[in-house]
Amino acid sequence: MASPTSTNPAHTHFESFLQAQLCQNVLSSFQGLCQALGLEPGGGLPQYHKIKAQLNYWSAKSLWAKLDKRAGQPVYQQGRACTNTKCLVVGAGPCGLRAAVELALLGARVVLVEKRTKFSRHNVLHLWPFTIHDLRALGAKKFYGRFCTGALDHISIRQLQLLLLKVVLLLGVEVHWGVTFTGLQPPSQKGSGWRAQLQPNPPVQLANYEFDVIISAAGGKFVPAGFTVREMRGKLAIGITANFVNGRTAEETQVPEISGVARIYNQSFFQNLLKATGIDLENIVYYKDDTHYFVMTAKKQCLLRLGVLRQDWPETDRLLDSANVVPEALQRFARAAADFATHGKLGKLEFAQDARGRPDVSAFDFTSMMRADSSARVQEKHGSHLLVGLVGDCLVEPFWPLGTGVARGFLAAFDAAWMVKRWAEGAGPLEVLAERESLYQLLSQTSPENMHRNVAQYGLDPATRYPNLNLRAVSPSQVQDLYDVMAKETLPRKNDRTDSGKPATGSVGTQEELLRWCQEQTAGYPGVHVTNLSSSWADGLALCALVNRLCPGLLEPSELQGMGALEATGWALKMAEHELGITPVLSAQAVVAGSNPLGLIAYLSHFHSAFKSMPQNPGPVSSRGSLGTSSAVLFLGKLQRTLQRTRAQENGEDTGGKKPRLEAEAETPRTEEPPVPESSVPLPPPSQHQEAGGEDLCALCGERLYILERVCADGHFYHRSCFCCHTCEATLWPGGYGQHPGDGHFYCLQHLPQPGHKEDDDRGSESQDLPTPGENNMPSGPSTPTTPQEGASPVPSPNQPNRRLIRLSSPERQRLSSLNLTPDPEIEPPPKPPRSCSALARQALEGSFVGWGVPIQSPQVLMAMEKEEERNPSSSEEEEEEEEEGVVLNPDMEQALLIFAKNSGTMNKYPTWRRTLLRHAKEEEMKRFCKAQAIQRRLNEIEAALRELEAEGVKLEQFLRSQSSSPEQQKALWLEQLLHLVQKKNSLVTEEAELMITVQELSLEEKQLQLDQELRGYMNRDETLKTAADRQAEDRILRKLVDVVDQRDALIRFQEERRLSELASGPGAHG
C-alpha cells in the first residue's frame, strides 16, 4: 500500500503501524505515531478520538468506520458506561487482549501487564463464525490482509495477538511489557485501594496504580488465590505440534488443508500411516497459515518404539520431561507424519523457529484439563472492594481437537466485561457474582449450532449471544462463599462431588429390598422359591424365571423340567446377555456352587436397577416388550457376535455345516415380537477349564479378579485394564475389536492382523526408522480414501443368500450415492441466497451433467452470474469482506451445485461457487472431526472414572471377604456401598455404549463418502474407454456402497425404535 502522502510523518507511522508483523515494530511505530501527533500513549478513549481527528485520510477512515460502528452500540453508552472504573488485565494472550478491548470501549481506564516481550506462538486457532465476524468488525483485514482467505477459518496465535494489540493501543489501553504479576496487595488502611505485586522493578506509576477490577488471563498455570479448580481427567493423551516454514510457493498453495481426520471413524488412513512409517496416531490436523501447522495425538507405545521417548514412566510430567524426549527423534516423527498426510507435496519440510530459536516442535500432555469452580470473586478489606474475574485458560483449559479455545475464550471475555459494566452500574456484589456464574454455566455448552444464528447482532449484552439465557439460574445466596470479606473467615466451598460412601438417590439400597424385588418377579413360577440371595439360585430355576419374566417367550416354564442346574443357569446367563444386555460377572458354575455370593448379589442388582421401574405383572408370562436396560449395550453385543461369525467364515473356520445367521433383525431391540433362540443350534456348554470360582482369575494375566474389575468376553473374564489391544494397548469396545485365531490376542480393528498379511503388518509396526514416503509409494491420505477392508465391517449387514445382481442406470447410481440418511432436525434452513438464483442455477446444472447420459448444455446462468459479479465489484471494503465469508446456500441450491461439481470439471470456471462449496465441505469435515474428538475425550474420561470405581470396589470387596468378624451392620454398609459402585459402573458402561453407537455412525458416514468418491471416479469416465476390469471394480464398489447404505439404515431404524421405546416408557405413558 502506497503512503497517502510522503510529507506527513504521522501518516507514515500509521501505515507502518498497520502493516507491522512483529510486536516490537507495532510498539515502536505506535510510539512514533503518538509523538508525531503530540499524544501520550495509554490515554483511554479520548486518545482514540484525538488520533481519529488528526488522521482523516481514506486509509485511516475505513478503520475508524469499523471501530466507530462497534463503539456506537448502545451498550457502551458512548464510552461512558464505566468511566469511573479502573481495571488491571493480566496477560496479553488473545483472551486478555479481547477483554481489554471491551473494557476500553466501556470507557474504563485499562492497564495491561504482560511478562513476555514478544509474540512467538505460531500454533493456529480454529475460528467460529462469530469470532470471524467479531474480528472483521475490529478491522482484522486492515491489520492482516490474509485473514480467513483460505478454505478453513483459522489464524495463528501470533497474528491474532498482533491485530488485537493494535486495537488495544488505538483505544488507549496502557500496556506494560516484561512485567510479571505475582499477587495482590490489599489496602493497608481505609481510603486506600488494591494494588498489584509486580516484578521486576515496575515503573513507579504502575506500582502505585490502584484498581477496583482485575481480570486474570495469565494462562492455565496461574489462577489467582481464592479460586479452586477441578481436574477433568481422561486416559493418557500425548499431543504433538509442529510448525514448518511456509514459503508460499505455488506448490505449497495447492496442498489442501486437513480440517481433521480421526482414527475413531477413518481407520484406513491410520493403517496406511502405520504401515508406511511405523507411526501410530489417533488424529491429525493440518492448517496453512503463517506456517504449515500440524497437530496430532500420538500413542505412547509408538513414541517409545521409535525412540522419541527414552524411557517409560508412569508419571506424565516425568514421561514428557525434556530430559526424556529425544529432540531429533521427535523432529523425524513430526516430519514423517506431516509428509505422509500431505502426500509429500510440501517438499522439504523445514521447521520454523520458536521463541528460543529452536525447531518449533513439541510434545505436550492433555490428559487432564483444569476448570475453575467459579469465574469471579469479590474481595473486600477496609471498605475497599475488588472484583476479580477469570478469562481464557485459567478459567477453562480447552480441549484442542474441538477448536473451542478462542471462541469460548472470547465469550468469557464478553461475559467478564458485562460483569464489570454491571459492577459499575452499582449492582450489589452478590447480584453481580450470581449473574456471572449463571453465564459461566452456559459456557461449556456453547457451540456454533446452539448460539444465535445471526452473528452480526452479537454484542456485549449476553442476550444477543445466548438463545436460552437465564441470568437468575444461580441465586445470590448460592454465591455467598465467593464474597470474601478479609476481616472474617472465608466460608468453605461446597464439594460438588458425591460422597462415594453414600448411595445416590435411586440406588439399590439394602439386601432386603433386592431380595423382595426378586421374590416379586419370580412369584408364580413352578418350583421357584426365592428365600435368599445365594442358595435359592443354585438350581438355575429362579434365574430362568427372572429372565423369562423380563423377556417373555424365550422358554416355557414346562421346558425347564428335567433341565440340569448347570444347563439352566448357563441358558439364563446367555439370554440375559444376548436379549437383555446384562453382561455376566460370574460363571454358571459359580452360581450353582454358590462360591461367589458377592458376585451373584452384584449381578442381580443389575437386573434390579434396570427393571425396577417396570410395572408389576401378576402372571408368570407377559407381553411386555420394552426393555429396561440400555439398548445400545444390547446392540453392540449383537454387533460384536456378528463380526466374530463373519471373520470365522472368512477364515474358513468350521461352522457346523450351517451358515451362521447374521442378526439383521437383532440389530435393534425387539419391541413387538419376543426374541426366540434358534432351536437348531444347541446351547454351547460352559468352558470346561473354568472350575467353580475360576472366574476369580483374569483369563489373560492370571491375577485375582474383583467384581468391579470384570469384563466378560466370549465366556471368559478379564481385567478391564487387560482387555486392550495387544499392539496399541487401547481399550477395546464392543463392535470395535477382534481376536486373532493364530496368537489368541485381542486387537482393535486397526491393528487386527488380516489373514495372509501378518508379515507385512508386523514389519510396518516394528519399523524403527521414519521414512519419508515419496509420491510414487505414498499411501492414500485423508482426502484420497482407500477401499475399506471387507472383513472389518463396523455394523452387521443382512445376509441375503442368492442375492440378485441389479443393474442400475447412471442417474440411479448417482441418486443412490447421494442419499442423505441422517438429516439434522435442529438445523434451521439458511437464508435465501443472493440474487434469487436458486431455481435458475438448479435448472442450468441439471442440464449440464457430463457422462451421465444427459444431454450436455452450457451452464449459461452460472456464467452470467460470474460476469455480473465482475461487472459489479463491491463498492466498499465491508461488502468485499462479506463476500469473502461465502455465499449462503439453501439445501436445493447446494445439492445442485454439489452434483455439478462432482461430475464435471467445468466448476473451475466459476471460482465464487467453487470456493463456497469448498468452504462448506471443509466446515462439514470439521464438524465431523470435532464430534469424533468430543466422543473420544468423553470415552477417555469414562475410562478414567471406571478405574477410580474399580479401585474403590476392590477395597470394599476385600473388606467384605476378609473382615468376617466385623459387625453385621458394618458389613451391610459395605455391601450397600459396593452395590452403589456397581450401579455407577453400569451407568458409565451404558453411556460408553451410547457413544460407540455414534462412532459407528461416523465410521459409516466416512465409508460412504470414500466409496462415493471412488464410484464417481469410474462413472465419470467415458463408457467406451472403460475396460472389463473397470466395470468389475465399479460394480464391486457399488455393492459395497449398497451395503453401507443398508447398515446406515439399520442404525437409523435402531435409533428410531429406541426413541419410540423411550417415549412409550416415559412419564405419563401408562397414565
Side-chain angles (χ1 to χ4, degrees), residues 2 6 137 173 215 220 264 317 321 366 372 427 758 955-956 1036:
S6 58
V173 173
I215 302 297
I264 201 170
D317 293 342
D321 186 80
F366 62 102
K758 187 176 187 301
K955 293 179 182 179
L956 286 172
R1036 184 171 61 253

Side-chain angles (χ1 to χ4, degrees), residues 128 445-453 458 465-468:
W128 288 6
Q445 307 169 16
T446 55
S447 67
E449 288 74 28
N450 62 16
M451 297 181 66
H452 280 309
R453 299 305 177 94
Y458 282 23
R465 295 176 271 121
Y466 304 114
N468 303 314

Side-chain angles (χ1 to χ4, degrees), residues 769-789:
D769 297 327
L770 292 176
T772 304
E775 294 186 11
N776 295 332
N777 61 353
M778 178 64 63
S780 299
S783 58
T784 310
T786 57
T787 304
Q789 297 179 2

Side-chain angles (χ1 to χ4, degrees), residues 407-464:
R408 290 178 179 169
F410 276 22
L411 291 174
F414 295 155
D415 295 338
W418 175 261
M419 173 184 68
V420 175
K421 179 178 182 294
R422 297 282 292 126
W423 178 264
E425 291 172 347
L430 292 180
E431 183 182 354
V432 171
L433 291 172
E435 283 191 7
R436 180 67 188 96
E437 295 307 306
S438 299
L439 291 172
Y440 185 37
Q441 289 184 348
L442 297 175
L443 186 63
S444 61
Q445 307 169 16
T446 55
S447 67
E449 288 74 28
N450 62 16
M451 297 181 66
H452 280 309
R453 299 305 177 94
N454 185 9
V455 296
Q457 75 175 9
Y458 282 23
L460 191 62
D461 189 342
T464 63

